[in-house]
Amino acid sequence: MQKISSVLLKRSANTTFRTHSSFQYANLVVEKNTKKQRLPSDPEKLGFGRYFSNHMIDVDWDAKEGWFAPHIKPFQNFSIHPAAKVLHYAQTIFEGLKAYHGVDGKIRVFRPELNMERMRRTARRATLPDFNTREALLLIDELIRIDADMVPKTDKASLYIRPMLFATDQHLGIGESMQAKWACFTAITGSYFNYDRGIRLLADPEMVRSWKGGVGQYKMGCNYAPTIFVGKLVSRIMAAMQGCDQAMWLSGEDRLVTEAGAMNLFMLWTNEENELELITPPTDSGLLLPGITRQSVVELAREWDLMKVSETNFTMDQLVRAVQEQRVHEFFVSGTAANVGPVSEILYCDKERGVKENLVIPTMSSKMQLVKRLNKTLSDIHYGRIEKKEWQRIVELN
Amino acid sequence: MQKISSVLLKRSANTTFRTHSSFQYANLVVEKNTKKQRLPSDPEKLGFGRYFSNHMIDVDWDAKEGWFAPHIKPFQNFSIHPAAKVLHYAQTIFEGLKAYHGVDGKIRVFRPELNMERMRRTARRATLPDFNTREALLLIDELIRIDADMVPKTDKASLYIRPMLFATDQHLGIGESMQAKWACFTAITGSYFNYDRGIRLLADPEMVRSWKGGVGQYKMGCNYAPTIFVGKLVSRIMAAMQGCDQAMWLSGEDRLVTEAGAMNLFMLWTNEENELELITPPTDSGLLLPGITRQSVVELAREWDLMKVSETNFTMDQLVRAVQEQRVHEFFVSGTAANVGPVSEILYCDKERGVKENLVIPTMSSKMQLVKRLNKTLSDIHYGRIEKKEWQRIVELN
C-alpha cells in the first residue's frame, strides 16, 4: 500500500530540478508555540471544530521544486495570494480523523492510513500533488505528540485531526496548479450530535449531492459547498421539530438511497427474502464517499456474523414498503465526526410522485441494539478498552 | 433591477444590532500603494490573469455586525484562518468582467450590472451574504479609477476584473458561514486563446460538468475544481495536435450539448426545417452558466435579424448528422476571457455507443463570417468605436 518515496528528476529548458515525490518527515522543522490555550473545562461544551490546538503542519509544493521541508509551527492564519486557485476554483481537498486518549494513558489514532490513502486518491482526481502515506503519518504523529496535552482525557471528547491540501497558484487560468500547500491542524472536539432523540432525515429527490461522472466519491471541497444551502432549507422545513436534522440524499429515477448529510448510512432490516440484513449502499457507483467508519462498521458486522451484511443499493420504494411492513429495525448514519448515529424518522417528500410521508423508524427501541453495540465497540477501540492493533495507531510519547 | 440598500434590524438574545444590507461606497477607506508595477511591454505576452494591478477591494462581513466599511488597499495576500470554510468546503463564488481603454481615451466596463446581478443570485445559492449592485459598481469604478494607468492602451488587451466572495468563518462545522469576505482585484490581460487555428473540442459523455438539481447555473467555485483534471485529460488525449483544446460538455442519455470548457457555445447551421439558425442551449435547464457574452451574442444576433436565433437544446446526434450533411456553417464558444472563439473540430468519443468520430467544422472558412462579425462588433463596443450606451459603463476619471 505504501509507495516508497523516490527521487524524481525533471528536466526543464535550462536547468535540472530534483523533486522528491513526497515531503519527508526527516526534513521537519519545528517552531514551538509559547502561548497557552484556554479551553472550556466541560467537554460537552466543546462542540465540533471550534477550539484549535497550538500547532499546525504546513508544507509547500511547487511543480518545479517539488515538496519543500515540512514545518510544524504555531497555529496561525495562512497568507494566501488573492489569485490562489483554492479561492476561485475550489481546488481543495481534506480529511477528518481522530486521536483518542486511552484508558491506559496511550494516545491512539483510528486507522489513519485509510484516510491518507483516500486523501491521495482524492488528490489525483483534484489534480493536486501526491505524497507518501508513511511520511504524512509520521508528521501527524509528531503534531499530536507536540500537542499531546490537548487530547482530552475523557471518553466524551477527542482530538479531531484535519489534514488538507489546496492549490496556491498565483494565476487565474483554470488549469493545473503549479503550487500547493499540504497542512494539518487539530481541534479539541466533543460530540457532533446529541443522540438522545435520534436524527431526523429529510429525503427529497430534488436535493442532489452527486451524480454519475462527478466527484461524489472523493473528499473534495466542491462536494460540500452546494449542500450548505440544502442544509439550511432542511433546518427551515423541519424548524417545528428540534434536533440535528440532515438531508438524506437520493439518486436518480430509482430514488436510490445514498448518503445523509456528510455521512454514510446503514439499515438493519428483514429484507424481501425474509433474511435479517445490514445493508449499506455500495461505493462502486461513484455516488458516495467511501467512509472509514462505514468500512469499519461493515468489517465489524461481518466479524460478528449475526446477520447478512450487504453493500447493495436499495431504493426509497423498498424503504417505504419495509417501514409499512415493520421490517425496518434500525437505521443509522456513520462518520468520523458523528461516529454511529441513530435515525428515528425520515420525512420523504417527492413532488414528482406526489408523495409526502413521514417514516418512523424504531431504531431507539430496537431489541437488537446494533447502533448501541457498534458505538460501544468503536468507542472501546478508540479509547483502548479493547485491543484491535491494526485499527489503533499508537502515538509514542516522549 | 437594483434593489435600494436598506437598514435591517436584527434582534439577538441580549442586544440589538444594526446591519446594513450592503456594504456602502460612502464608507470607503482608501490606502494607496506607493510601489510601481513592471509589466511586459508587449500586450501579446500578458497572457490571462498573471499580472495584477496595484490595488484591491476588501470588505468583511459578519452575521451579527453585517457589512463593515469597504477598503481599497495595496494588492496583497489575504490572511485566512486555517478553518475558514472556503478552504475546506469550497464556499466561494466569483465573477469575471473587463474594462477597456477606448479609442476616445475613456475607460468602459462591459455590462457590469449583469455580473453583479449574477453574483448576487450565486451568493444566495452559496449561502453567502447579499449586497447592493449599485454599491458594488461604485467600488469597482473607484478601483479602476485608482489603477487607471493599468488599463492597457491598446485594443489587444484589457483589464480583467475579478470580484469574489468567500466564507471566512473560523469553525469546521459544515453549515452557514457567520463571516465572509467580498474582494475584487484586477489583472492586465492579453488574449486568452490564439484563434489562428480554431479551437478543437473533445466531447465525451463520461466527462460531466453539471447535473439536474446541482449548481451548474451558478458561478460557484465548486463547479470548476472537478474540471481541472478533465482539462488535463483533454490536453493529454489531444497532445498530438497543438492548440487551445477544451472539453465539450454533454448531458444525459440524450447527449445534450451544453458548454465547452468554462464557456457557452453556439452553432450557426441550417436546421432540420431548412432554416438558417443560430442556436445555443437554453439556460433554464440549470445545466449551464448564463454567460454575459452569451446573452450579448443572442441580443446582437436578434438585432441584426439575419437568421433565426434560438435558445434551444440540441443533441450530439443532431450535430453529427448536420456535419455529415454539411449543414453546420460555424461553431463557436463565448466568454468574458475568450470573447467569441471559433471551433474548427469536435472529436466525439462515446464509449457506451461505440462512437469515435472527428467532426470538422468549416467555421474558419464560413462565408457568413458570423464569428468575425461578432468579435468585431463586441470589440467595437468594448473599445468605444461604436456607441451602445446601455452596454458601456464609463468610468469617470478624475
Side-chain angles (χ1 to χ4, degrees):
Chain A
M1 293 283 278
Q2 293 177 7
K3 220 175 76 184
I4 302 303
S5 125
S6 68
V7 177
L8 205 86
L9 286 170
K10 276 191 187 171
R11 199 169 288 274
S12 87
N14 301 312
T15 172
T16 305
F17 297 102
R18 302 188 83 208
T19 309
H20 288 277
S21 69
S22 178
F23 42 77
Q24 307 285 323
Y25 174 69
N27 300 336
L28 177 65
V29 179
V30 177
E31 181 200 342
K32 284 281 180 73
N33 196 343
T34 50
K35 278 188 250 169
K36 279 281 165 202
Q37 287 267 40
R38 269 175 306 170
L39 298 173
S41 55
D42 182 357
E44 305 274 342
K45 296 213 170 108
L46 287 169
F48 173 74
R50 289 195 176 278
Y51 298 97
F52 304 101
S53 35
N54 295 320
H55 296 84
M56 64 196 288
I57 307 169
D58 189 321
V59 200
D60 284 315
W61 174 87
D62 180 292
K64 278 188 191 165
E65 306 282 342
W67 288 102
F68 293 88
H71 283 72
I72 288 183
K73 61 184 193 180
F75 185 75
Q76 63 194 265
N77 280 11
F78 294 119
S79 175
I80 299 181
H81 191 275
K85 292 200 202 313
V86 61
L87 300 180
H88 302 266
Y89 312 126
Q91 208 180 351
T92 183
I93 70 172
F94 67 96
E95 275 297 326
L97 60 164
K98 281 179 173 177
Y100 304 87
H101 190 274
V103 290
D104 54 359
K106 288 186 181 162
I107 294 174
R108 287 173 180 78
V109 186
F110 187 70
R111 312 188 79 177
E113 55 292 334
L114 294 185
N115 291 89
M116 290 304 105
E117 295 294 337
R118 185 172 68 183
M119 192 175 189
R120 294 175 55 195
R121 285 198 304 276
T122 304
R124 216 160 299 144
R125 181 61 181 85
T127 325
L128 286 164
D130 193 16
F131 55 91
N132 183 284
T133 296
R134 195 178 151 268
E135 299 294 330
L137 293 178
L138 290 174
L139 285 180
I140 293 172
D141 283 354
E142 188 71 34
L143 180 68
I144 297 169
R145 193 153 38 233
I146 289 178
D147 280 336
D149 59 339
M150 307 298 281
V151 185
K153 291 185 183 60
T154 158
D155 64 359
K156 289 195 169 47
S158 57
L159 190 73
Y160 182 82
I161 304 162
R162 172 56 62 98
M164 60 202 294
L165 173 57
F166 56 92
T168 54
D169 220 359
Q170 310 186 355
H171 166 42
L172 283 180
I174 301 173
E176 218 174 339
S177 184
M178 296 295 116
Q179 289 176 297
K181 189 187 279 293
W182 196 100
C184 181
F185 60 92
T186 62
I188 298 92
T189 293
S191 37
Y192 196 65
F193 288 131
N194 175 353
Y195 290 146
D196 294 347
R197 193 181 52 81
I199 299 164
R200 291 177 51 99
L201 301 177
L202 175 64
D204 181 336
E206 289 185 11
M207 315 181 308
V208 182
R209 192 196 83 94
S210 63
W211 70 102
K212 236 184 121 174
V215 294
Q217 74 269 45
Y218 300 103
K219 212 162 173 73
M220 287 170 69
C222 58
N223 285 327
Y224 296 84
T227 71
I228 296 173
F229 182 76
V230 174
K232 200 178 157 184
L233 277 185
V234 172
S235 317
R236 200 171 289 168
I237 291 166
M238 293 188 148
M241 314 110 182
Q242 308 161 324
C244 40
D245 302 305
Q246 300 280 322
M248 185 163 93
W249 306 104
L250 307 179
S251 178
E253 284 306 307
D254 294 342
R255 312 301 195 230
L256 292 180
V257 176
T258 61
E259 282 193 38
M263 297 169 289
N264 295 120
L265 49 75
F266 288 85
M267 173 164 70
L268 177 66
W269 69 334
T270 303
N271 67 17
E272 285 102 350
E273 277 74 48
N274 206 29
E275 302 162 309
L276 184 65
E277 181 184 40
L278 178 65
I279 188 171
T280 192
T283 56
D284 57 11
S285 65
L287 295 170
L288 53 97
L289 193 79
I292 317 295
T293 311
R294 176 191 174 283
Q295 181 179 335
S296 304
V297 167
V298 168
E299 290 171 13
L300 279 177
R302 287 200 172 130
E303 271 177 36
W304 294 344
D305 200 20
L306 299 168
M307 64 210 54
K308 186 175 173 184
V309 179
S310 307
E311 298 182 68
T312 313
N313 276 315
F314 61 98
T315 66
M316 208 55 216
D317 280 355
Q318 285 180 286
L319 173 57
V320 169
R321 207 173 326 118
V323 169
Q324 285 164 350
E325 296 171 358
Q326 299 187 305
R327 288 188 283 109
V328 179
H329 315 300
E330 301 189 35
F331 201 101
F332 56 95
V333 293
S334 73
T336 293
N339 226 3
V340 176
V343 172
S344 56
E345 286 175 60
I346 299 169
L347 182 59
Y348 177 34
C349 299
D350 195 332
K351 225 198 257 168
E352 207 177 291
R353 300 190 180 172
V355 177
K356 189 164 182 172
E357 188 161 358
N358 195 35
L359 309 173
V360 179
I361 318 274
T363 310
M364 306 295 284
S365 54
S366 152
K367 279 186 207 141
M368 289 283 299
Q369 300 210 311
L370 183 63
V371 168
K372 275 201 183 144
R373 185 165 172 192
L374 282 167
N375 260 332
K376 183 171 185 317
T377 303
L378 286 170
S379 168
D380 286 347
I381 296 168
H382 294 157
Y383 293 101
R385 284 184 295 259
I386 58 177
E387 191 174 82
K388 194 168 177 71
K389 277 191 181 161
E390 64 289 8
W391 289 15
Q392 297 161 318
R393 182 178 174 96
I394 292 178
V395 178
E396 300 295 344
L397 301 178
N398 295 329
Chain B
M1 290 285 278
Q2 293 177 8
K3 221 176 76 185
I4 301 304
S5 124
S6 67
V7 176
L8 206 86
L9 287 168
K10 276 191 186 172
R11 199 168 290 273
S12 85
N14 302 313
T15 174
T16 304
F17 296 102
R18 302 189 82 208
T19 308
H20 288 277
S21 71
S22 178
F23 44 77
Q24 306 286 322
Y25 174 68
N27 299 334
L28 176 65
V29 179
V30 177
E31 182 200 341
K32 284 278 181 74
N33 197 342
T34 50
K35 276 186 251 169
K36 279 282 167 202
Q37 289 267 41
R38 269 175 304 170
L39 298 173
S41 56
D42 182 358
E44 305 274 343
K45 297 216 169 106
L46 287 169
F48 173 74
R50 290 196 175 275
Y51 298 97
F52 305 101
S53 34
N54 295 321
H55 296 84
M56 64 195 287
I57 307 170
D58 188 321
V59 200
D60 285 314
W61 174 87
D62 179 291
K64 279 187 187 165
E65 305 283 341
W67 288 103
F68 293 88
H71 282 71
I72 288 183
K73 59 185 194 183
F75 184 76
Q76 61 193 266
N77 279 11
F78 295 120
S79 174
I80 298 181
H81 191 275
K85 291 200 202 316
V86 61
L87 300 180
H88 302 266
Y89 311 127
Q91 208 180 352
T92 185
I93 70 174
F94 67 95
E95 275 298 327
L97 59 164
K98 281 179 172 176
Y100 305 86
H101 190 275
V103 289
D104 54 359
K106 288 185 181 162
I107 294 173
R108 287 171 179 80
V109 186
F110 187 71
R111 310 186 82 176
E113 54 291 334
L114 294 184
N115 292 88
M116 290 303 105
E117 296 293 339
R118 184 172 69 182
M119 192 176 188
R120 293 175 56 195
R121 287 197 304 276
T122 303
R124 217 161 297 143
R125 181 60 181 84
T127 325
L128 285 164
D130 193 16
F131 55 90
N132 182 284
T133 296
R134 195 179 151 268
E135 300 293 332
L137 292 178
L138 291 173
L139 285 179
I140 292 172
D141 283 354
E142 188 71 35
L143 180 67
I144 296 169
R145 193 153 36 234
I146 289 178
D147 281 335
D149 59 339
M150 308 297 281
V151 186
K153 292 184 183 61
T154 158
D155 65 358
K156 290 195 168 50
S158 58
L159 190 73
Y160 183 83
I161 305 163
R162 173 56 62 98
M164 59 201 294
L165 173 56
F166 56 92
T168 53
D169 220 359
Q170 311 186 355
H171 165 42
L172 283 180
I174 301 173
E176 218 175 337
S177 185
M178 296 295 116
Q179 290 175 297
K181 187 186 281 293
W182 195 98
C184 181
F185 60 92
T186 62
I188 298 91
T189 294
S191 39
Y192 196 65
F193 289 130
N194 176 353
Y195 290 146
D196 294 346
R197 192 181 53 81
I199 299 164
R200 292 175 51 99
L201 302 177
L202 175 64
D204 181 337
E206 289 186 10
M207 316 181 309
V208 182
R209 193 197 83 95
S210 64
W211 70 105
K212 237 185 122 175
V215 294
Q217 75 266 47
Y218 299 103
K219 213 163 172 70
M220 289 170 69
C222 59
N223 286 327
Y224 297 84
T227 71
I228 296 173
F229 182 75
V230 174
K232 200 177 157 184
L233 277 186
V234 171
S235 317
R236 200 169 292 168
I237 291 167
M238 294 187 148
M241 313 110 182
Q242 308 162 324
C244 41
D245 302 304
Q246 300 278 322
M248 184 164 92
W249 305 103
L250 306 179
S251 179
E253 284 306 307
D254 293 342
R255 315 298 196 233
L256 293 180
V257 176
T258 61
E259 282 193 37
M263 297 169 287
N264 295 119
L265 49 78
F266 288 83
M267 173 165 68
L268 177 67
W269 70 332
T270 303
N271 68 17
E272 286 102 350
E273 277 74 48
N274 206 28
E275 302 161 308
L276 183 65
E277 182 185 39
L278 179 65
I279 189 171
T280 191
T283 57
D284 58 11
S285 66
L287 295 171
L288 53 99
L289 192 79
I292 316 297
T293 311
R294 175 190 175 282
Q295 181 178 335
S296 305
V297 167
V298 168
E299 290 170 13
L300 280 177
R302 288 201 171 128
E303 272 177 33
W304 294 345
D305 201 19
L306 299 169
M307 63 207 61
K308 186 174 173 185
V309 179
S310 308
E311 298 181 69
T312 313
N313 276 315
F314 61 97
T315 66
M316 210 53 217
D317 280 353
Q318 284 180 286
L319 173 57
V320 169
R321 206 172 327 118
V323 169
Q324 285 163 349
E325 297 171 2
Q326 300 187 303
R327 288 187 284 108
V328 178
H329 315 300
E330 301 189 34
F331 201 102
F332 56 94
V333 293
S334 73
T336 294
N339 227 2
V340 176
V343 172
S344 55
E345 287 176 60
I346 299 170
L347 182 59
Y348 177 35
C349 299
D350 195 332
K351 224 198 259 169
E352 208 178 290
R353 301 191 181 170
V355 177
K356 188 162 184 177
E357 188 160 0
N358 195 37
L359 309 172
V360 178
I361 318 273
T363 310
M364 306 295 284
S365 54
S366 152
K367 277 186 209 144
M368 289 282 300
Q369 301 209 312
L370 183 63
V371 168
K372 273 200 184 145
R373 186 166 169 188
L374 283 166
N375 260 331
K376 179 168 189 321
T377 304
L378 286 169
S379 168
D380 285 347
I381 297 168
H382 294 156
Y383 293 101
R385 284 185 294 258
I386 59 178
E387 191 175 81
K388 194 168 176 74
K389 277 193 180 160
E390 62 291 8
W391 290 15
Q392 297 162 318
R393 183 179 176 95
I394 292 177
V395 178
E396 299 295 343
L397 301 178
N398 294 329

